[in-house]
Amino acid sequence: MKRGATGSGARKEKHAKRRANPLRALFLLDVIQDRDSRPVFLWAASALLIGTLAYHWLEGWSLLDSLYFSVITLATVGYGDFVPSTPIARLFTILYVINGISILLALLDRIRVVRSGHLERAVVASGEAPASEA
């Protein structure tokens, strides 16, 4: 009997530790630490670097303004405070936005995959049957 109580207590303690750190989930640390998610983050970082350098060269904006515009564009926010003025920069922006949407979709998919894996492991560890089997 003692043995079962100890195992149950250890499981509850492990579950409490997992719940006690919501900042890991908020800042996507679990996704960043996932090896399979790294290519998506590398893709996003590369797109930001390319966008920053391209807008700096095409529009003559400062590197900070170019980075700001790249982030706003990839996030599909588009405040409108910076607008590409040359035809080549507008063409680049069209392709850049399509790339940005692809990055967002890939990142959201990686979050889904990593978080559903955490959920499945938590259900298996708790000994409960998944909802599909119940």
Side-chain angles (χ1 to χ4, degrees), residues 33-90:
Q33 291 173 342
D34 178 52
R35 285 191 180 275
D36 294 333
S37 299
R38 291 182 184 160
V40 176
F41 287 105
L42 183 61
W43 182 19
S46 299
L48 284 174
L49 179 65
I50 290 168
T52 300
L53 296 175
Y55 288 117
H56 177 68
W57 181 66
L58 292 171
E59 291 292 326
W61 296 338
S62 71
L63 287 174
L64 181 60
D65 288 343
S66 299
L67 176 63
Y68 168 79
F69 183 77
S70 297
V71 170
I72 296 304
T73 303
L74 285 182
T76 68
V77 175
Y79 290 126
D81 48 354
F82 287 95
V83 180
S85 58
T86 62
I88 190 73
R90 288 181 181 169

Side-chain angles (χ1 to χ4, degrees), residues 115-131:
R115 299 275 167 88
S116 65
H118 289 313
L119 183 62
E120 288 174 12
R121 286 190 294 277
V123 167
V124 169
S126 70
E128 298 173 12

